[in-house]
Amino acid sequence: MRCVLALDIGSSSVRAAIVSSSGALLARSECALSIWAPSPGHYEQSSSQLWAASCIAATDVMQNVALEDVCGVAFDGTCSLVVLDDEFQPLPVNDAGIKDRNVLMWMDHRAGDQAKRCRGGLSTKEIAAEEMEIQAENIAKKRMSLEMHPPRLMWLKENLSETWKLAGHFMDLPDFLTWKATGNLTRSLCSLLCKWGGYEVGNGWNKDFWESIGLPELTGKGQSKIGLSAACPGHTLGVLTPTAARELGVTPGIPVAVSLIDAHAGGLGVIGADVIGRALPCEGRPITSRLAIIAGTSTCHMAVSEEAIEIGGIWGPFHSAMVPGLWLNEAGQSAAGSLIDHIVSGHPAYKDLQTAADSSGQSIYDYLNEKLITMVPAGSHLAQLTSDLHIWPDFHGNRSPESDPDLRGMLGTRHILCSLLHNGYDISTIFMCGGLSRNKLFAQCHADATGLPVVLPANGEGVLTGTAILAATAANIFPSVQDAMRHMSSAGEIILPNVELSRFYDKKFSVFLKLLEHQREYTSLMSGE
């Protein structure tokens, strides 16, 4: 039986899976990761530990399959920045000079000032109308988020001069992983387009962009530090080196796919799911009618289109960054999953909650969901418990569609969906994966708030499925990514919206928009003379 090894390097753990050509998960393994947070907004990891954990998870999961059956390997990872010297040794990204902590995590927000300088002090929402009339390097600058790599490189140059001087390679984490596996420094088009800026398909790096943000060292020969070539997802990057094969417990010489960012792997793993006979509004329509939501530590929203669609406050459009041949728009809610954990674990009754959940044999969130049901008055709906409770959901800034890292406060998805629909998308169905998608109340709230059906993956693992799709394509099990999507991804449980709550959520969304309007007014009042 032909199968592949998929490795998902997340924020807190590495997950490895053996996946069949039909998309069945045959075996899984997991290895925990460390995160260092030396100061507010600073989050760091170790590339050495990330690779070591990948090897532990891989060798463990390989115990469940015949070595000769695994014919392809693929990686996905968080969009974290790995810093290495000319000899590929780690360099510190911290004031303490600890070399092994050489990864700026995706959720690191230390470069807020640098990102704002890239944008000229404006949010991407405010400059969207002028984007079609400005030069390419200025478009890249004005879209810049503090979660992208150029502001982080600016921060390193301005704050860690020794690291900057010695740096020989800056890599997005997924590209670091494929380099470790193959020795090939070719970068993934997904990473370059979505998290770097200043890269143009067909033209390469934009010299003017790097010079305009004060990083001329990354032009000319300096481009080797950030990548001289890129490949589209679905291509074969190379083959496993003998060293990597031994460390991963896999046969040397088998193909390794071009990588994806983890959220994009999740999008790839669910957006093309087979829905024939499931009576969904997207059946018989192209995948451009679908919205993929990857709900994990953060929540990412992925939509694809045949033509480029420019949307202020939403990243993209990026050609072939996720599905080859299609344009990608990416929105999201930064640290949405972490926020839920933070609110629950920070409550004074958290220890009592843990005890009660453990005694009932349930997870904390299953226990809380059941408790909520008992609070619903007769003849009412659970959602109506929030009739008089209105909260702006951004504690870590707003990624989309306001693109404002300074905004603080379930309707964020509806806000994003409205922006997509207003700009030409015709989305009729949501496909959801990630850890939060396993919380049925979370998924039901998304269906009710948007009025759209929510489809969960049949195998429960959208991200690992997307990564396996890459591996299967690289191994020539399927001739294309699209063909692999059709064979390896299928719809599981379908959660339909409660039509009785349609008017309720219309009113809630009106309040939600008022909260945004009022927050802008308060900011203006407090910043005035």
Side-chain angles (χ1 to χ4, degrees), residues 383-393 409 411 504 507-515:
Q384 291 169 320
L385 291 173
T386 66
S387 292
D388 299 314
L389 178 64
H390 308 290
I391 300 173
W392 182 258
L411 290 166
F504 170 80
K507 293 187 288 186
K508 287 287 287 186
F509 188 58
S510 294
V511 173
F512 177 91
L513 295 178
K514 282 290 184 184
L515 289 172

Side-chain angles (χ1 to χ4, degrees), residues 113-329:
D113 179 63
Q114 287 76 12
K116 191 171 185 179
R117 279 190 270 136
C118 278
R119 297 193 302 267
L122 300 175
S123 73
T124 56
K125 188 81 168 181
E126 293 171 297
I127 55 81
E130 65 185 75
E131 284 193 345
M132 297 304 290
E133 301 175 6
I134 59 180
Q135 295 178 348
E137 68 269 18
N138 287 328
I139 292 177
K141 286 166 59 180
K142 289 178 179 296
R143 289 177 177 168
M144 198 57 60
S145 159
L146 80 173
E147 294 181 6
M148 294 180 179
H149 296 325
R152 293 169 174 172
L153 296 175
M154 293 168 65
W155 187 93
L156 287 172
K157 180 179 179 179
E158 295 166 11
N159 293 275
L160 296 177
S161 58
E162 190 66 14
T163 291
W164 182 256
K165 181 177 71 174
L166 295 174
H169 303 277
F170 299 108
M171 299 184 192
D172 200 38
L173 175 58
D175 292 326
F176 167 80
L177 297 165
T178 53
W179 164 73
K180 286 289 288 185
T182 67
N184 190 333
L185 286 169
T186 297
R187 310 303 174 92
S188 169
L189 200 59
C190 175
S191 292
L192 293 192
L193 291 176
C194 298
K195 298 303 173 186
W196 283 86
Y199 187 86
E200 302 167 24
V201 177
N203 296 319
W205 294 110
N206 187 308
K207 176 176 177 286
D208 293 335
F209 165 73
W210 292 111
E211 291 180 343
S212 70
I213 63 172
L215 300 178
E217 301 92 333
L218 301 180
T219 64
K221 291 183 178 179
Q223 288 184 7
S224 62
K225 296 182 179 183
I226 53 178
L228 295 175
S229 59
C232 179
H235 287 194
T236 302
L237 186 71
V239 298
L240 276 179
T241 66
T243 298
R246 182 179 66 255
E247 293 175 344
L248 292 167
V250 188
T251 305
I254 63 174
V256 178
V258 174
S259 62
L260 280 176
I261 297 168
D262 54 353
H264 299 69
L268 190 72
V270 297
I271 203 166
D274 178 13
V275 297
I276 294 175
R278 303 301 296 274
L280 286 164
C282 65
E283 184 174 352
R285 300 181 63 196
I287 62 172
T288 54
S289 66
R290 306 177 180 193
L291 175 67
I293 298 181
I294 301 84
T297 308
S298 283
T299 300
C300 297
H301 301 65
M302 307 287 184
V304 293
S305 58
E306 296 281 354
E307 304 293 335
I309 300 177
E310 300 271 355
I311 306 175
I314 290 179
W315 295 339
F318 305 123
H319 191 256
S320 295
M322 186 175 80
V323 181
L326 295 179
W327 294 87
L328 170 70
N329 283 105

